[in-house]
Amino acid sequence: MDDLKFEDIKGITPSIASKLRKNNITTVEKLAMASIEELKEILKGTPENKIREMQIEVWKALGYWYIPANMISQVGKQPIVFSTGCKALNEILEGGIRSRILTEFCGEYGAGKTESLLTILVENMAKKTDYTAIFYDSEETFNEQRVAQIAKARGYDPEEIFRKTLLLRVWNTQHFIEAIKQADGIIKERNVKLILIDSIIATLRSEYIGRETLAARQHLLNKMLRMLLNYAKAFNLAVVMTNQVSDNPQQVYYTQDPTTEKKPTGGNILAHNAETRIFLRKAAKPTVRIARIIDSSWLPPRECVFQITEAGITDLEESQAQP
């Protein structure tokens, strides 16, 4: 199924396949995600009923049509688990980051969001030899020296990490959306199994300022997240993104829970798309951080402590176990 081509699908003629490829729909998976309106524009002259029949055949071929529940495990792909590089964090995540979903790390500046992403990148590109990664950098946080330092501290070859990582430095929201839109061919060609984004909201917050722009901003954010989620499901890959936080205006009384004073940006759009949300915050000791699962459909709310070292995010020494 990984090698499925247009020519394997009933109803897709060489002429239709050519038109699709000329319009940046280069994979069967991308065709499955396309709307009927997009396809009608691309395939002008092709009857609408033929386009619908063709797309249903695509959904069937990919396992996204009616399936008996007892066959789901046979048709679908088993999720891949990616280590965070920190045993304590892996434990509260029941093994680590999973494919087929969006995972979010949120927190204030300096909470360890970027360190978490870089450690996840290094750890998995070193150990999962057949996989590659894409790193979308919208905050100029991808530092080659830091990546090399983490790799060396863990006993890995930095050049191997760099060779398997595709870096895209994001200029603005339009650049970001176009890059995501055209990523399917690269994902399939390079066997990308890990997409890392630092951060998902940065360009939108800088370009869409004020309540009057909120609807447009949320529309674009939803569009980006849906494309990423579709990739995660279609290609069995993991999407891990960072998100900023802002003051919670609804918090009018004092609590002993520090995560109630700040809330992740992106509102309900991000909350509904991110399957697992992890809130990072600083502890009393300078290098220690606390991670809490604040939302997940299958993981309970719980937290762990870790530290930031030359090797990225790592477990605490027993003597430091209290934050």
Side-chain angles (χ1 to χ4, degrees):
M1 203 157 67
D2 289 338
D3 297 325
L4 202 61
K5 297 179 175 61
F6 291 145
E7 289 76 11
D8 301 322
I9 306 297
K10 180 182 176 182
I12 299 185
T13 65
S15 175
I16 288 176
S18 177
K19 288 180 181 179
L20 291 171
R21 291 183 175 116
K22 287 178 181 177
N23 285 275
N24 293 318
I25 297 182
T26 58
T27 63
V28 173
E29 290 83 358
K30 186 68 171 288
L31 177 56
M33 302 172 203
S35 70
I36 188 66
E37 296 305 320
E38 288 178 285
L39 294 177
K40 283 165 63 178
E41 180 65 25
I42 292 170
L43 302 175
K44 287 179 179 177
T46 304
E48 183 175 332
N49 67 312
K50 293 293 184 183
I51 296 175
R52 292 183 183 277
E53 289 172 4
M54 173 191 73
Q55 197 164 40
I56 289 173
E57 291 298 323
V58 171
W59 294 334
K60 288 179 180 178
L62 293 176
Y64 284 88
W65 200 239
Y66 296 103
I67 304 171
N70 62 354
M71 292 181 61
I72 291 174
S73 61
Q74 301 173 35
V75 177
K77 300 174 183 177
Q78 290 299 311
I80 305 166
V81 180
F82 296 88
S83 173
T84 65
C86 171
K87 290 180 182 177
L89 189 52
N90 284 344
E91 285 177 5
I92 68 170
L93 292 171
E94 298 290 346
I97 304 295
R98 276 169 168 69
S99 64
R100 301 179 62 82
I101 63 172
L102 307 186
T103 300
E104 171 195 353
F105 284 89
C106 59
E108 293 185 275
Y109 174 80
K113 303 185 296 296
T114 300
E115 289 291 318
S116 298
L117 256 61
L118 295 180
T119 307
I120 291 168
L121 173 71
V122 168
E123 187 69 16
N124 290 284
M125 289 305 97
K127 290 186 174 179
K128 296 186 182 296
T129 56
D130 296 335
Y131 300 161
T132 60
I134 294 175
F135 196 108
Y136 291 105
D137 182 6
S138 66
E139 295 192 323
E140 293 292 325
T141 53
F142 187 91
N143 184 292
E144 293 92 331
Q145 288 75 27
R146 180 61 179 139
V147 173
Q149 183 183 44
I150 294 172
K152 290 176 181 177
R154 290 173 176 266
Y156 305 139
D157 178 9
E159 291 306 314
E160 179 70 4
I161 309 301
F162 293 135
R163 185 183 66 80
K164 296 172 65 181
T165 302
L166 296 170
L167 175 66
L168 193 146
R169 298 198 189 276
V170 178
W171 283 104
N172 51 45
T173 301
Q174 186 59 34
H175 182 205
F176 201 175
I177 290 174
E178 285 301 319
I180 295 172
K181 190 185 296 183
Q182 298 190 37
D184 63 299
I186 294 171
I187 290 170
K188 197 160 189 176
E189 178 187 343
R190 298 289 297 268
N191 197 28
V192 172
K193 291 299 180 184
L194 190 58
I195 293 179
L196 303 163
I197 305 168
D198 198 10
S199 78
I200 190 65
I201 202 77
T203 61
L204 287 164
R205 289 190 81 189
S206 66
E207 295 169 29
Y208 293 83
I209 302 170
R211 296 189 64 84
E212 67 276 8
T213 67
L214 184 59
R217 187 183 88 171
Q218 292 301 88
H219 171 73
L220 289 174
L221 176 61
N222 193 42
K223 184 177 180 179
M224 293 160 63
L225 291 171
R226 293 308 300 181
M227 283 193 288
L228 290 165
L229 182 56
N230 284 339
Y231 287 156
K233 293 186 292 185
F235 296 106
N236 196 25
L237 57 83
V239 177
V240 190
M241 55 193 175
T242 66
N243 186 19
Q244 301 165 358
V245 295
S246 58
D247 292 328
N248 185 1
Q250 296 177 331
Q251 182 65 27
V252 295
Y253 56 90
Y254 174 77
T255 74
Q256 293 185 327
D257 184 356
T259 64
T260 62
E261 298 174 6
K262 302 285 183 179
K263 64 175 185 176
T265 59
N268 290 334
I269 295 295
L270 216 157
H272 289 312
N273 281 285
E275 166 65 25
T276 301
R277 312 186 81 187
I278 305 156
F279 194 109
L280 302 181
R281 66 188 194 273
K282 297 178 182 179
K285 296 176 182 178
T287 62
V288 177
R289 300 292 183 269
I290 303 169
R292 178 186 295 187
I293 297 174
I294 58 171
D295 189 27
S296 175
S297 66
W298 67 287
L299 294 170
R302 53 190 174 186
E303 62 182 38
C304 70
V305 291
F306 62 89
Q307 63 182 342
I308 298 175
T309 69
E310 286 189 356
I313 63 169
T314 63
D315 290 279
L316 290 179
E317 301 295 336
E318 289 187 14
S319 61
Q320 293 183 299
Q322 295 299 319

